[in-house]
Amino acid sequence: CETCSEEEAKYRCPRCMKYSCSLLCVKKHKLALSCNGVRDKTAFVSVNEFTDLNLLSDYRFLEDVGRTADAAARHFTMQSSTARRFMSFLRNKAEKCSIDLRILPVGFTKRRENSTMFNRTEDKFYWHLKLVFPHSHAEYILKRVPDDRTLADILKPYIDPVESDPVVCQRLKIYTAAPQSDVQILMKIENRRKNSVRYNELDASRSLLDNLKGKVVIEYPTLFVVLRTLKHGMVVLGQ
């Protein structure tokens, strides 16, 4: 057994090929190696070790891929004309607000979870919004955020020492303990090369709509809340 080194091994993990003697050691090795115990269907197998079982596994894997692709294609064709008109309506409204809104194909996670809408009566967007706090490894999803709210108001329930939720405040204590002048709100600039990631700095005193003007938004905005002294590797455009 490669976990306890005491008993004779009886099981072999399909994922990482570690030998174990009991259910207890199986659980320990999964916890220690963050292993889910599920065989990796795309793992490399050399020609010398390739067997009929590997061939059958690859064949079934390709069948699964084919079924998934077919289901996605059917889902796209079944998408109602009403939904397509709604997406076109959102893009046109965003364009009038000087926002380049991009819609992903059906099947993408961001497309599936996006809840952004436009209220015709109030003539304003209610955005699906993601807040990322990288120094605390925390993310929060906000739904139906009105575009006339300032970023400072949006962040109050999270990093304001007085108004924030106690549980959230405890998780984000590195932010609540920092002076407000040290807090910086960034938004990733889309359509850049992977090795040239840059961010725009947003103005917390201005509305969400004002901050999104002139920018590319893929499905919905994702805002990164960072501390100026700790944002290593996050290069702001112009710096």
Side-chain angles (χ1 to χ4, degrees):
C1 176
E2 295 183 54
T3 302
C4 67
S5 302
E6 295 177 0
E7 301 292 335
E8 183 181 354
K10 298 178 182 177
Y11 314 105
R12 191 177 190 185
C13 177
R15 182 77 178 189
C16 60
M17 299 301 174
K18 296 285 184 185
Y19 286 100
S20 303
C21 65
S22 63
L23 180 60
L24 181 62
C25 283
V26 169
K27 289 181 177 178
K28 283 182 179 179
H29 113 263
K30 285 183 177 180
L31 187 63
L33 301 177
S34 299
C35 175
N36 59 13
V38 179
R39 186 176 61 83
D40 184 2
K41 296 179 182 178
T42 61
F44 174 76
V45 179
S46 66
V47 175
N48 295 334
E49 299 174 350
F50 200 85
T51 64
D52 290 343
L53 285 176
N54 295 118
L55 179 63
L56 182 61
S57 173
D58 286 353
Y59 179 75
R60 287 175 175 168
F61 175 72
L62 291 175
E63 279 190 322
D64 289 341
V65 172
R67 278 194 295 270
T68 304
D70 183 60
R74 289 173 182 273
H75 185 62
F76 178 76
T77 56
M78 289 170 64
Q79 187 182 18
S80 68
S81 57
T82 305
R84 289 195 291 270
R85 284 198 301 271
F86 174 70
M87 297 305 158
S88 180
F89 168 75
L90 278 184
R91 283 196 300 265
N92 292 336
K93 285 295 181 182
E95 188 177 351
K96 289 181 180 178
C97 296
S98 302
I99 301 171
D100 187 357
L101 178 61
R102 310 277 178 92
I103 304 297
L104 293 171
V106 173
F108 278 74
T109 303
K110 289 187 77 172
R111 170 86 295 275
R112 194 165 56 247
E113 65 190 13
N114 191 4
S115 62
T116 300
M117 61 166 287
F118 186 85
N119 189 305
R120 296 171 188 261
T121 306
E122 300 176 11
D123 195 35
K124 66 181 178 185
F125 274 95
Y126 282 82
W127 288 97
H128 184 104
L129 187 65
K130 179 187 279 188
L131 298 178
V132 181
F133 297 86
H135 309 314
S136 297
H137 305 288
E139 293 184 2
Y140 297 94
I141 295 294
L142 286 71
K143 294 187 177 182
R144 308 292 167 85
V145 180
D147 63 12
D148 55 358
R149 280 189 71 186
T150 64
L151 299 188
D153 284 341
I154 293 172
L155 291 179
K156 269 185 182 179
Y158 298 91
I159 61 174
D160 189 277
V162 179
E163 297 187 30
S164 60
D165 179 270
V167 177
V168 176
C169 182
Q170 178 62 25
R171 186 176 185 185
L172 303 178
K173 59 185 177 181
I174 190 172
Y175 292 91
T176 53
Q180 290 299 308
S181 57
D182 195 28
V183 177
Q184 194 175 22
I185 306 170
L186 306 179
M187 183 174 171
K188 184 180 174 183
I189 301 173
E190 304 293 351
N191 299 331
R192 290 182 68 93
R193 289 176 312 205
K194 235 181 179 181
N195 60 352
S196 179
V197 178
R198 295 291 182 271
Y199 296 83
N200 277 317
E201 182 175 3
L202 307 184
D203 187 345
S205 64
R206 302 184 69 183
S207 69
L208 179 59
L209 178 63
D210 288 339
N211 278 290
L212 294 180
K213 285 183 177 179
K215 297 178 178 64
V216 175
V217 176
I218 298 180
E219 288 290 344
Y220 55 79
T222 299
L223 307 185
F224 294 85
V225 185
V226 300
L227 300 177
R228 296 178 191 276
T229 52
L230 298 177
K231 63 171 180 56
H232 308 299
M234 301 182 76
V235 182
V236 179
L237 193 69
Q239 293 184 342

